[in-house]
Protein backbone atom coordinates (compact mmCIF):
# COMPACT_ATOMS: atom_id res chain seq x y z
CA UNK A 1 0.00 0.00 0.00
CA UNK A 2 1.48 3.45 -0.95
CA UNK A 3 2.54 5.81 1.78
CA UNK A 4 0.72 9.13 2.11
CA UNK A 5 3.28 11.77 3.13
CA UNK A 6 0.57 14.23 4.20
CA UNK A 7 -0.64 12.05 7.06
CA UNK A 8 2.88 11.00 8.01
CA UNK A 9 3.87 14.60 8.68
CA UNK A 10 5.17 14.89 12.26
CA UNK A 11 3.23 18.05 13.16
CA UNK A 12 -0.09 16.29 12.39
CA UNK A 13 0.80 13.41 14.69
CA UNK A 14 1.14 15.75 17.65
CA UNK A 15 -1.77 18.19 17.35
CA UNK A 16 -3.60 18.80 14.05
CA UNK A 17 -4.69 22.26 15.25
CA UNK A 18 -1.05 23.38 15.14
CA UNK A 19 -1.46 23.72 11.37
CA UNK A 20 -4.03 26.53 11.90
CA UNK A 21 -2.43 28.32 14.84
CA UNK A 22 -1.99 32.05 14.06
CA UNK A 23 -3.42 31.47 10.57
CA UNK A 24 -5.40 34.73 10.63
CA UNK A 25 -2.33 36.73 11.57
CA UNK A 26 -0.25 35.06 8.87
CA UNK A 27 -2.85 35.76 6.17
CA UNK A 28 -3.22 39.37 7.35
CA UNK A 29 0.56 39.86 7.30
CA UNK A 30 0.81 38.49 3.75
CA UNK A 31 -1.85 40.77 2.27
CA UNK A 32 -1.64 43.92 4.38
CA UNK A 33 0.47 47.02 3.80
CA UNK A 34 3.81 46.95 5.53
CA UNK A 35 3.52 49.45 8.37
CA UNK A 36 4.84 50.01 11.88
CA UNK A 37 3.30 51.02 15.21
CA UNK A 38 3.16 54.70 16.05
CA UNK A 39 1.72 57.02 18.69
CA UNK A 40 0.40 60.48 17.82
CA UNK A 41 0.01 63.14 20.51
CA UNK A 42 -1.81 66.46 20.10
CA UNK A 43 -0.18 69.05 22.36
CA UNK A 44 -1.21 72.71 22.67
CA UNK A 45 1.51 74.03 20.33
CA UNK A 46 2.68 70.94 18.44
CA UNK A 47 2.00 67.33 17.44
CA UNK A 48 4.38 64.55 18.44
CA UNK A 49 4.75 61.26 16.59
CA UNK A 50 6.64 58.34 18.13
CA UNK A 51 7.22 55.66 15.50
CA UNK A 52 8.67 52.27 16.37
CA UNK A 53 11.23 51.26 13.73
CA UNK A 54 13.19 48.46 15.37
CA UNK A 55 15.87 47.02 13.12
CA UNK A 56 15.88 50.01 10.74
CA UNK A 57 18.99 52.15 10.28
CA UNK A 58 18.70 55.93 10.41
CA UNK A 59 20.02 56.31 6.86
CA UNK A 60 17.18 54.09 5.58
CA UNK A 61 14.43 56.44 6.84
CA UNK A 62 12.96 59.30 4.81
CA UNK A 63 10.46 61.96 5.88
CA UNK A 64 8.48 64.22 3.56
CA UNK A 65 5.75 66.76 4.25
CA UNK A 66 3.64 67.63 1.23
CA UNK A 67 0.05 68.88 0.87
CA UNK A 68 -0.63 68.64 4.63
CA UNK A 69 0.61 65.02 4.72
CA UNK A 70 3.64 63.68 6.58
CA UNK A 71 5.00 60.52 4.96
CA UNK A 72 7.41 58.25 6.80
CA UNK A 73 9.20 55.64 4.67
CA UNK A 74 11.70 53.17 6.03
CA UNK A 75 13.55 50.37 4.31
CA UNK A 76 14.17 47.36 6.52
CA UNK A 77 16.79 44.77 5.56
CA UNK A 78 17.16 41.46 7.38
CA UNK A 79 20.10 39.13 6.91
CA UNK A 80 18.96 35.86 5.34
CA UNK A 81 19.33 32.64 7.33
CA UNK A 82 20.27 29.26 5.90
CA UNK A 83 17.90 27.21 8.04
CA UNK A 84 14.24 26.53 7.33
CA UNK A 85 11.99 29.02 9.13
CA UNK A 86 9.49 27.53 11.55
CA UNK A 87 8.00 30.95 12.32
CA UNK A 88 8.57 33.98 10.11
CA UNK A 89 6.93 37.18 11.39
CA UNK A 90 9.70 39.70 10.68
CA UNK A 91 9.78 41.14 7.20
CA UNK A 92 12.07 42.92 4.77
CA UNK A 93 11.05 45.77 2.56
CA UNK A 94 9.58 49.24 2.58
CA UNK A 95 7.49 50.35 5.54
CA UNK A 96 5.19 53.34 5.03
CA UNK A 97 2.87 55.47 7.20
CA UNK A 98 1.07 58.70 6.34
CA UNK A 99 -0.40 61.28 8.73
CA UNK A 100 -2.55 64.25 7.70
CA UNK A 101 -2.47 67.64 9.43
CA UNK A 102 -4.18 70.94 8.66
CA UNK A 103 -2.18 73.32 10.83
CA UNK A 104 1.51 72.36 10.77
CA UNK A 105 4.35 74.81 10.18
CA UNK A 106 6.34 72.58 7.83
CA UNK A 107 9.48 74.74 8.07
CA UNK A 108 9.87 73.97 11.79
CA UNK A 109 9.44 70.17 11.78
CA UNK A 110 12.20 68.35 13.72
CA UNK A 111 12.98 64.64 13.93
CA UNK A 112 15.28 62.46 16.02
CA UNK A 113 15.99 58.73 15.90
CA UNK A 114 17.29 56.82 18.91
CA UNK A 115 17.06 53.20 20.09
CA UNK A 116 14.74 52.25 17.22
CA UNK A 117 12.21 55.01 17.92
CA UNK A 118 11.66 57.92 15.52
CA UNK A 119 10.35 61.07 17.23
CA UNK A 120 8.88 63.80 15.03
CA UNK A 121 7.84 67.17 16.44
CA UNK A 122 5.44 69.09 14.20
CA UNK A 123 4.86 72.65 15.47
CA UNK A 124 1.41 74.07 14.86
CA UNK A 125 1.07 77.24 12.81
CA UNK A 126 0.44 80.37 14.81
CA UNK A 127 -3.16 81.34 14.25
CA UNK A 128 -3.86 84.95 13.46
CA UNK A 129 -5.94 86.74 16.00
CA UNK A 130 -9.65 86.46 15.35
CA UNK A 131 -10.39 89.70 17.18
CA UNK A 132 -12.70 92.10 15.39
CA UNK A 133 -11.10 94.83 13.34
CA UNK A 134 -12.61 98.20 12.48
CA UNK A 135 -12.05 99.18 8.86
CA UNK A 136 -12.06 102.82 7.89
CA UNK A 137 -13.92 103.92 4.78
CA UNK A 138 -12.00 106.50 2.76
Amino acid sequence: MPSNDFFNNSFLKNDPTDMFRDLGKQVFNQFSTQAFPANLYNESDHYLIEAELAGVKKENISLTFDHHTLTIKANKYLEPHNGQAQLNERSNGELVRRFEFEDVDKDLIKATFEDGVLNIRLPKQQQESEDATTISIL
Side-chain angles (χ1 to χ4, degrees):
M1 179 174 252
S3 169
N4 189 335
D5 288 338
F6 178 79
F7 291 106
N8 290 329
N9 197 328
S10 64
F11 73 84
L12 285 177
K13 289 181 181 176
N14 295 328
D15 183 0
T17 62
D18 283 346
M19 183 168 62
F20 301 104
R21 192 176 316 278
D22 295 327
L23 181 63
K25 184 175 182 179
Q26 292 172 26
V27 170
F28 178 79
N29 287 342
Q30 287 298 318
F31 296 105
S32 66
T33 303
Q34 296 292 328
F36 46 86
N39 293 340
L40 171 61
Y41 301 99
N42 186 351
E43 302 291 338
S44 61
D45 64 340
H46 70 279
Y47 298 97
L48 177 65
I49 295 176
E50 298 172 338
E52 191 174 299
L53 293 168
V56 177
K57 294 181 181 179
K58 180 179 169 181
E59 58 269 17
N60 293 331
I61 301 171
S62 70
L63 302 174
T64 58
F65 192 87
D66 189 33
H67 294 93
H68 304 285
T69 302
L70 173 73
T71 302
I72 304 170
K73 288 185 182 180
N75 287 307
K76 186 173 184 180
Y77 302 103
L78 300 176
E79 292 294 323
H81 290 275
N82 294 332
Q84 180 179 359
Q86 296 218 331
L87 177 65
N88 191 6
E89 294 180 341
R90 299 178 66 213
S91 60
N92 278 320
E94 185 176 75
L95 309 171
V96 179
R97 290 290 301 265
R98 289 180 177 82
F99 301 89
E100 292 189 26
F101 302 94
E102 291 297 322
D103 57 345
V104 167
D105 187 342
K106 67 181 182 179
D107 296 323
L108 298 177
I109 298 172
K110 304 279 187 219
T112 59
F113 186 65
E114 187 175 342
D115 296 331
V117 177
L118 176 66
N119 288 291
I120 307 166
R121 188 176 192 278
L122 302 109
K124 294 179 181 178
Q125 289 179 337
Q126 298 298 321
Q127 298 295 323
E128 292 186 24
S129 173
E130 294 193 22
D131 295 337
T133 302
T134 302
I135 302 170
S136 302
I137 300 174
L138 302 173

